[in-house]
Amino acid sequence: TAPPALGQRPGRRRRPPPPQSPLEAVGAQEGLSLPQLAGRWVLVGMASRCGYLAEHSHRLEATAVMVTVPDGQSLAISTFRKLDGTCWEIRQRYRPAGSPGRFVLKGRGYGSKVDVVVGETDPGTYAILYYQKGRSITVKLYGRSSRVSDAVVDKFEQSVRAVGLSEDVTYYFPTYGFCDSADEFHILD
């Protein structure tokens, strides 16, 4: 056997650096002003390798999101969508994660953290957000209305390809049938 390299103890090898997270390569929107993100958004499209989404894509429901900025640095998100004909509200808090435009969403239990990046936005028209849980990445396109320009759809599809996803895992949501509220019995925090 060869002698150990200079400065290394016998029998020990250097561990390779951990692989780069796909989100580390995604730049956050420059000069992002969180108050400009406040208000109502509509989920226009989503790209994800989620097996459940692929299997149930024929049952996608129109999804609206209300964004507030309660403390100037985090985003409070209320997602409104139908499930079996009933409107539900799902409440989440995206907390700041280091640099501007990067957030973390903490769920319950080990490994339930989701990293979020506001990748690109024109706050009056559209926003492209990236979500990563573990090694799995999802890209979402939100619009101020359910219809966005072809140029915005092109930007979204380029963003999807840039993180290694493709059109066969890209889904577009209905443009009608939105919920904007839920009764007190259909709220998930």
Side-chain angles (χ1 to χ4, degrees):
T1 64
L6 189 61
Q8 282 192 328
R9 285 184 257 154
R12 297 206 63 183
R13 289 197 176 140
R14 262 198 207 151
R15 222 181 269 166
Q20 184 179 17
S21 149
L23 264 196
E24 288 176 25
V26 172
Q29 174 72 43
E30 292 282 325
L32 180 65
S33 167
L34 294 185
Q36 289 182 313
L37 293 179
R40 184 176 187 272
W41 292 90
V42 172
L43 182 57
V44 175
M46 178 169 150
S48 174
R49 286 197 182 96
C50 169
Y52 181 86
L53 184 60
E55 198 172 307
H56 296 91
S57 62
H58 62 284
R59 297 183 63 201
L60 293 178
E61 291 283 355
T63 302
V65 174
M66 185 60 79
V67 177
T68 57
V69 186
D71 57 9
Q73 56 186 0
S74 62
L75 301 175
I77 311 289
S78 285
T79 302
F80 297 94
R81 63 178 304 262
K82 288 181 185 170
L83 184 61
D84 296 327
T86 302
C87 288
W88 284 81
E89 178 182 357
I90 301 145
R91 295 178 181 168
Q92 299 172 312
R93 179 70 69 99
Y94 295 8
R95 302 200 184 278
S99 57
R102 293 185 179 272
F103 300 90
V104 65
L105 169 63
K106 292 188 176 157
R108 293 181 177 94
Y110 177 77
S112 61
K113 172 182 86 99
V114 178
D115 294 303
V116 181
V117 176
V118 179
E120 186 175 341
T121 184
D122 170 359
T125 318
Y126 75 95
I128 298 172
L129 274 68
Y130 298 81
Y131 298 80
Q132 181 176 320
K133 182 174 181 178
R135 302 287 303 155
S136 177
I137 194 160
T138 297
V139 185
K140 293 183 180 181
L141 171 62
Y142 293 94
R144 287 296 186 177
S145 73
S146 58
R147 302 204 189 279
V148 295
S149 71
D150 290 344
V152 167
V153 171
D154 288 346
K155 284 181 186 194
F156 168 62
E157 291 176 351
Q158 287 170 11
S159 300
V160 166
R161 287 189 298 274
V163 295
L165 297 173
S166 61
E167 63 187 39
D168 61 324
V169 295
T170 302
Y171 307 92
Y172 290 93
F173 284 71
T175 58
Y176 56 88
F178 291 96
C179 295
D180 287 311
S181 64
D183 65 38
E184 63 188 282
F185 303 109
H186 295 94
I187 297 175
L188 299 173
D189 276 314

